[in-house]
Amino acid sequence: MYSFANLLRFTNGQSPYENAWKTLLVPFYSVVPRGLAPGKPIFFNSGRNAHEYYGWIKGGISVSMPGSFYFAWGYPGILFGMFFLGSLLAFVMKKINRQDINSSYWTIILVTLVMQLMDTGITFQSSTTNVIRVSLLMLLLYLLYSRKQNKKKQRRILPFNAPNLRRG
C-alpha cells in the first residue's frame, strides 16, 4: 500500500485515466505481438513508475493492483476492479466445486489467479495477460486431446461399419 500511497501523492489524487478504454482490450493485446500491433499501449508498470515519478533509469517500484486500477479508471476503478476480481474468483470456485471433467482446468486457472494476486507489485493488465495466456494454452491442450480421443473412437468403430464386413 506504500507504493499506492506514493502514487496518489505524485498524481495529486487525480487519476491520469491512462489507457482506460484500451485496458478493456487486454485479452486481445495479451496474444498479439507488438510487431503486429504497433499501437499496442504500454500500460503503467513498475518500470514506468520508477522512471516517471522517482527519476530512476533502471529498476522498478511496484504499482500494486489497486494502483493499476486507479491509474486507468480512478477511484471508481479501484472499487469495480476489486469487485470484478472477487466475482471472477467466485465464478472459478463455483466451476471447481462442480467436480466435473473440466474441474482440473478451472483449478489451474484458480492457481494462476491466486499466484498473480500474491505478487503485491503486479498490475491488473499483466495479471490478466498471464491468466489469458494460461487459459489459451489449456484450451489448446484440451482441443488436441479431444481430437486424439475422437480419432481413437473412429478407428474402433470403423471396422464394424465397413460395407465389406457386413453379412448378407
Side-chain angles (χ1 to χ4, degrees):
M1 292 312 289
Y2 178 74
S3 63
F4 179 59
N6 277 339
L7 184 64
L8 288 176
R9 184 171 56 93
F10 286 128
T11 59
N12 293 323
Q14 300 296 316
S15 172
Y17 295 102
E18 181 181 88
N19 296 319
W21 293 109
K22 290 181 181 179
T23 301
L24 298 176
L25 297 175
V26 167
F28 170 73
Y29 289 132
S30 64
V31 294
V32 176
R34 193 167 298 282
L36 295 177
K40 185 176 172 178
I42 298 173
F43 295 107
F44 191 66
N45 57 29
S46 61
R48 281 190 50 207
N49 185 25
H51 179 71
E52 292 175 14
Y53 292 115
Y54 293 87
W56 292 12
I57 296 172
K58 296 181 181 179
I61 298 173
S62 71
V63 176
S64 77
M65 189 74 71
S68 64
F69 288 135
Y70 164 78
F71 212 78
W73 299 301
Y75 294 107
I78 297 171
L79 296 174
F80 288 116
M82 295 313 236
F83 176 78
F84 171 75
L85 286 176
S87 300
L88 181 62
L89 286 170
F91 173 78
V92 171
M93 284 303 299
K94 185 183 269 189
K95 292 288 191 177
I96 291 171
N97 289 334
R98 282 179 153 178
Q99 296 184 357
D100 62 359
I101 190 114
N102 292 325
S103 291
S104 58
Y105 170 80
W106 290 106
T107 303
I108 291 170
I109 299 300
L110 177 68
V111 169
T112 305
L113 276 169
V114 170
M115 293 301 290
Q116 299 296 314
L117 293 175
M118 288 175 61
D119 181 1
T120 57
I122 199 155
T123 62
F124 171 71
Q125 293 85 358
S126 60
S127 176
T128 305
T129 298
N130 293 337
V131 171
I132 287 171
R133 288 177 179 166
V134 167
S135 300
L136 289 174
L137 177 64
M138 294 299 298
L139 178 64
L140 178 66
L141 291 173
Y142 173 77
L143 292 174
L144 289 174
Y145 177 74
S146 63
R147 185 174 177 192
K148 183 178 177 182
Q149 290 299 97
N150 286 339
K151 282 186 178 182
K152 281 184 180 180
K153 285 180 184 177
Q154 287 175 354
R155 278 190 227 140
R156 278 186 266 163
I157 295 172
L158 187 61
F160 297 107
N161 292 335
N164 59 357
L165 296 178
R166 289 188 185 169
R167 294 183 186 183

